[in-house]
Each structure stands twice: as structure tokens, then as C-alpha cells.
Amino acid sequence: MLDSSEVPRCEIFSDATNVRESLHFHTSQLPTPGTPLDDEKPKRRISQSDETPTKKPRLMVAESSNDAIDVVVKRRGCRRTVFRMLDLASINYPAEPHRMLLPSRNILQSFVSSHTSDVFKCHSRTEDSFVTPPYACAYSNEARRGGVPLLAVATEQGSIHILDATKRKEWDCEPARVTLEPHDNGIFDVKWNADDTLLATASGDKSTRISSVETQQLLSILDGHTSTVKCVAWDPAHRDLLTTGGRDGMLCLYDLRVNNLSDQDEIPARSAVITITAAHGQDKVSGGRQKIRPLPRGITNILYPDDRPHGLVSSGSFDGILHYWDLRLPSNKSSKRSPKKPSHNPLFSSIMDPTICHGARSRGITSMSQGSGPSAGLLFALGADSRLYIYSYPTLTPLRTETHPNLQTNSFYVRLATSPCGRWLASGSTSRAGSLFLFDISNAGRVAPSYGKRADGPISPTVRFRGQSGEIGAVDWAKDMVASCADDGTVRIWRPDLEVYQNCISNSKEQKWDWFWST
């Protein structure tokens, strides 16, 4: 069987890189037929030249019908312990390897938006105005998977418009929309639950409310904050858990299964099961005779990481330091002065504030978003200093920063969102020109020098879109589309269409009456 002139094939499988390579060995390098392969280890260790396996590979032989031997070598992957993650983060490597991918700037440039079929208006509840500014928007989970693109838009007047963003012809009528009115104050964040049956809204009336999408009824009110509720996030692993963050610096965890109800205008009100006060510290008070209570620093954004069901990452309005909270850990023992208020400490925190490297003082984080696919293991944060900061996860170590000459984010209303494929990032802007920015983050995890030492070289191609007036705050992605909300009361949908984009470039004077495209 070994006298055949055909050279046997040897394949190496690497758990670290997921790369499959074929190497050819002469038959003299294989064991003789009299040597049992199952009972004796191979004398020659076969491995790739550019990696050093930590354990010996396993040798398996499979005989084929063509009198050839297939030798397969599989490398055992090392364990992903906490110490190894910390070691990787200390040398500015992400937790998982990131390959160099081809830039997709040409794809981002092909995004276009129609003046007739891709524009939605947020109608006002009062008679003194026709439209109202949208504050937040969120696509359903089914839309991110490629299903019906339902978009929930929250307005300044406390309304929720559920829009069907399915692509339609130029002069087709808009599909019927569903309008909810859970609040009488501005809604700063809206999120769908895991099965897209409930909507959670965070409002300026110091409450978070749960509404049913099917019945359009208000189900419960979540109390506990003493100021505006800025953000809300559902636990992806537990459908009944959600967390809110407010301007009062508090993180409140709610469990919809707990019956701590109280009647409030015939609508059940629930209290938090876990409350973390001053999650991002308190402002320092200057000395004086009068005792002034320090004000806590507000919470601007929270998110649940995909790979840790009990973890929560939060950002604040004071600096660029992120905190990771393990909600399973018990609180510290209460002090003697305040025995009823136990304190909590984050499990991880950023080792440094990246915003101080580009200015005289710290600047807060306006929004966060986590990567997936080629950007997995990374967190993206938008700073109030008009910069995009990239952190490694779970150590929350700052890796690098990027910006655009026309990007302005000096407002906490500007949001950030990553695409379902994990290759693109959308950001709003506070400029009056109504600019939307799309970043290519496919290679954002590329190894960079130590932070602050020429680590801010541009690696993410950026495309700018101008199709609305006023500030663009809320943005979100579905599959093959992105939505942007502006102060002019409109919501615009952008989709990739190479043919239309080429027509716009070749006949810009004619197409400008029907389309908007990249600048």
C-alpha cells in the first residue's frame, strides 16, 4: 500500500487560527506497516512553522480506497483562563485573533436613500407642531437576523412609532405603523426583548415602562430612579431581567417575575431587586462650612456582553473609564453610618482613561456598542470629544482611537451602533449638516502599539452621508440597512445599491432630486 507513487496527504488543523493547510510528506516519513499507530506515539512532531503548540498533536490515520494514507494532525487548543485573557490584554492583543480583511469602503459608499420610499416622519401628538424630534431608535432582533425590518422610534413627546422599513417602490404607500404612548415625557432609549414581544422605554419622567407590542398596552412601570433614566438593556440570557441606568448615577436591575408590585393609577409598578448607587463615582465638592452632598456622575450607556450572561458593562458622563459588573456577586458589607445601603464594586475597570490623552481634562462616553464576527472581543465607545475609542473585552483595556475631521459628538444624544455582520459601525453627529458616519471596523482588532504612542493611525475607512438637517442622534442597524434619526423629525433608511449609486455619480444633477448618497 505504501509502494504507490502518489504522495500521501497530511493536513494540520489549528484551533487557534481555524486555518486548514495541506502539507505533503514523502512515504519514508510515515510509519512502516508493522508499526501500530494506535499503540505508539509518533516520533516526529508535525506542526506549523509559525506557531508553537503547547501540547503534542494527535496523529490519526485514515485509509482511503486509492491506496493512500490521510494523516491528520490536530492541535489541542489552550484553555481560555482569566489569567491568559489578562496576559493578552496587557500586550494590547484582543482576546481572539483578528485577521487582516480587505477594506469594504466601496460597499459603504454604495449606500443610498430615496427621497420618497426611505423617509419616515415622526408625527406630533400636539396641534402646535407637525413633527417631533426622535430621540432613540432600535431594530427588532428579527430584523437583525434578516426578517421583517421593524423599527421602533422614540420621540421627544413620549411616543413610540413602530415602522415597517421593508424596501418598497418609489411611490408606494407607507405600510401601516403602530403608535404607542407609554410616557408623557421624552424617551431617551428603547429596546426590544429577546422574542420581540415587549418594548422597554427609558424616559425623563424617572421611570422605565414595559409595553406589549401585540396588544399595545402598558404592562408595568419600573420605579427606583431619582432623575432621568438614560438607558435600558435586556438580559439576553434571561427574558425577565433588564437593567437601567440614569442621570442619578444608579444602576437598577429589575426582575419581572418578582411580585413587588404597588398600585399606581391601575398600572402595576415594580421596584428594583438590585440597586447600585454612584456606579461611576461622585463629583468632588469644594471645601466650605456648609455641607453639600456630592452629586453622582451619570450613567450614559449599558450593555450585556454576548458571551457573559451575568455581566454588565457601563459607561459614564465624566470620563472614559468603563466598568464591568458581575450581577451575581453579593454586595459589600454595609457601613455603620448607612447600614441599609450596601455598596457594590465592579469586577473589572479600565486601567486608564483614554480621553485624557487628547485633551486637558476627561471627557465622558456618549454611547457604546459591542463587536461581533471580525470585531468580536472589542467594545466601541463614542466620546464627547468627537473620538471613537476601541476597548478590548473583558479587560476593558483601551486599544486605540479614531476620528474624522467632520465628526462632532459633543452631545450625549449621539448614539453608536454596530452592524449584525460586525464589519461596520454607524455614528451620528451634532453638526447642523445632518451627517451620518459609517466606519469599516473589520480590522479594528489589529495589534497596535501601546496606547498613547502613535496608536491612533486610521485603520477604519470612513464614509460620510448627508441627507437630513440638524443633529443626527439615534442610529441602528438591521441586515443590509441602517437607520438615522435627525432633529428635523425624520427617520431615513440607507441601503446598499451599487447600480443606483453609479447612476447618482454619473448623473448627479438629475439624481439629486430623487436620492441621497455618500459625499
Side-chain angles (χ1 to χ4, degrees), residues 268-284:
R270 300 177 184 270
S271 58
V273 295
I274 296 179
T275 301
I276 303 177
T277 58
H280 282 256
Q282 296 177 338
D283 294 335
K284 295 182 180 180

Side-chain angles (χ1 to χ4, degrees), residues 227-239:
S227 185
T228 300
V229 186
K230 295 289 294 182
C231 49
V232 60
W234 291 90
D235 191 333
H238 304 85
R239 64 184 307 272

Side-chain angles (χ1 to χ4, degrees), residues 89-288:
S90 63
I91 58 176
N92 283 341
Y93 278 88
E96 295 292 338
H98 293 267
R99 299 185 190 176
M100 192 69 179
L101 300 178
L102 295 178
S104 58
R105 178 182 175 85
N106 294 336
I107 301 178
L108 294 180
Q109 286 181 330
S110 66
F111 276 71
V112 294
S113 180
S114 172
H115 292 346
T116 55
S117 59
D118 290 330
V119 180
F120 299 87
K121 294 184 178 180
C122 300
H123 303 299
S124 175
R125 295 166 56 177
T126 61
E127 297 179 356
D128 56 349
S129 61
F130 179 68
V131 294
T132 180
Y135 279 176
C137 68
Y139 273 107
S140 62
N141 297 291
E142 183 183 359
R144 297 182 63 87
R145 295 188 294 263
V148 179
L150 296 181
L151 178 66
V153 181
T155 67
E156 181 186 30
Q157 298 177 347
S159 302
I160 296 291
H161 299 282
I162 302 179
L163 309 175
D164 186 353
T166 304
K167 186 176 182 180
R168 62 183 192 272
K169 295 182 180 180
E170 185 175 359
W171 293 107
D172 287 351
C173 297
E174 176 187 335
R177 67 172 66 180
V178 176
T179 302
L180 309 177
E181 297 180 356
H183 301 269
D184 293 327
N185 204 323
I187 299 177
F188 294 94
D189 199 7
V190 57
K191 292 294 173 56
W192 300 77
N193 68 336
D195 55 3
D196 296 334
T197 58
L198 302 178
L199 279 176
T201 53
S203 175
D205 59 6
K206 306 177 185 180
S207 70
T208 302
R209 306 195 176 190
I210 309 299
S211 303
S212 173
V213 178
E214 182 179 0
T215 62
Q216 306 175 20
Q217 298 294 324
L218 182 62
L219 300 182
S220 60
I221 301 175
L222 309 182
D223 292 329
H225 285 278
T226 59
S227 185
T228 300
V229 186
K230 295 289 294 182
C231 49
V232 60
W234 291 90
D235 191 333
H238 304 85
R239 64 184 307 272
D240 296 313
L241 300 181
L242 71 159
T243 304
T244 60
R247 189 172 293 173
D248 52 7
M250 296 173 57
L251 290 174
C252 297
L253 174 66
Y254 299 91
D255 190 344
L256 301 182
R257 299 168 298 183
V258 178
N259 295 323
N260 51 359
L261 304 177
S262 61
D263 293 334
Q264 181 178 345
D265 297 334
E266 299 180 357
I267 299 176
R270 300 177 184 270
S271 58
V273 295
I274 296 179
T275 301
I276 303 177
T277 58
H280 282 256
Q282 296 177 338
D283 294 335
K284 295 182 180 180
V285 180
S286 58

Side-chain angles (χ1 to χ4, degrees), residues 182-460:
H183 301 269
D184 293 327
N185 204 323
I187 299 177
F188 294 94
D189 199 7
V190 57
K191 292 294 173 56
W192 300 77
N193 68 336
D195 55 3
D196 296 334
T197 58
L198 302 178
L199 279 176
T201 53
S203 175
D205 59 6
K206 306 177 185 180
S207 70
T208 302
R209 306 195 176 190
I210 309 299
S211 303
S212 173
V213 178
E214 182 179 0
T215 62
Q216 306 175 20
Q217 298 294 324
L218 182 62
L219 300 182
S220 60
I221 301 175
L222 309 182
D223 292 329
H225 285 278
T226 59
S227 185
T228 300
V229 186
K230 295 289 294 182
C231 49
V232 60
W234 291 90
D235 191 333
H238 304 85
R239 64 184 307 272
D240 296 313
L241 300 181
L242 71 159
T243 304
T244 60
R247 189 172 293 173
D248 52 7
M250 296 173 57
L251 290 174
C252 297
L253 174 66
Y254 299 91
D255 190 344
L256 301 182
R257 299 168 298 183
V258 178
N259 295 323
N260 51 359
L261 304 177
S262 61
D263 293 334
Q264 181 178 345
D265 297 334
E266 299 180 357
I267 299 176
R270 300 177 184 270
S271 58
V273 295
I274 296 179
T275 301
I276 303 177
T277 58
H280 282 256
Q282 296 177 338
D283 294 335
K284 295 182 180 180
V285 180
S286 58
R289 294 184 179 181
Q290 297 181 354
K291 294 183 178 180
I292 302 176
R293 185 178 180 180
L295 296 176
R297 298 164 181 171
I299 306 297
T300 57
N301 204 252
I302 55 177
L303 59 85
Y304 281 93
D306 294 332
D307 59 341
R308 290 175 177 254
H310 303 284
L312 183 74
V313 180
S314 63
S315 63
S317 60
F318 180 77
D319 52 31
I321 295 179
L322 307 182
H323 292 323
Y324 174 82
W325 308 86
D326 191 338
L327 302 178
R328 299 170 299 176
L329 296 179
S331 60
N332 296 338
K333 295 182 179 179
S334 57
S335 60
K336 296 181 180 180
R337 295 183 179 180
S338 57
K340 296 183 179 181
K341 296 182 178 180
S343 59
H344 297 75
N345 293 324
L347 185 62
F348 297 111
S349 295
S350 302
I351 59 177
M352 64 169 294
D353 182 5
T355 62
I356 62 176
C357 299
H358 308 281
R361 64 182 181 89
S362 300
R363 304 298 296 269
I365 300 297
T366 66
S367 180
M368 289 189 305
S369 185
Q370 59 181 325
S372 61
S375 59
L378 300 175
L379 290 179
F380 302 91
L382 194 62
D385 55 354
S386 303
R387 287 182 174 271
L388 175 65
Y389 295 95
I390 304 174
Y391 298 78
S392 65
Y393 176 79
T395 59
L396 306 181
T397 304
L399 296 180
R400 62 188 310 124
T401 178
E402 298 185 23
T403 186
H404 188 275
N406 301 110
L407 179 63
Q408 299 179 14
T409 59
N410 53 356
S411 171
F412 289 101
Y413 291 94
V414 181
R415 295 306 177 105
L416 200 67
T418 53
S419 61
C421 63
R423 298 196 63 181
W424 305 318
L425 185 76
S427 171
S429 179
T430 58
S431 62
R432 297 181 179 179
S435 299
L436 170 69
F437 294 89
L438 300 185
F439 294 83
D440 182 358
I441 56 174
S442 302
N443 300 310
R446 194 178 66 184
V447 178
S450 299
Y451 195 87
K453 298 180 181 180
R454 301 180 63 87
D456 53 351
I459 63 172
S460 300

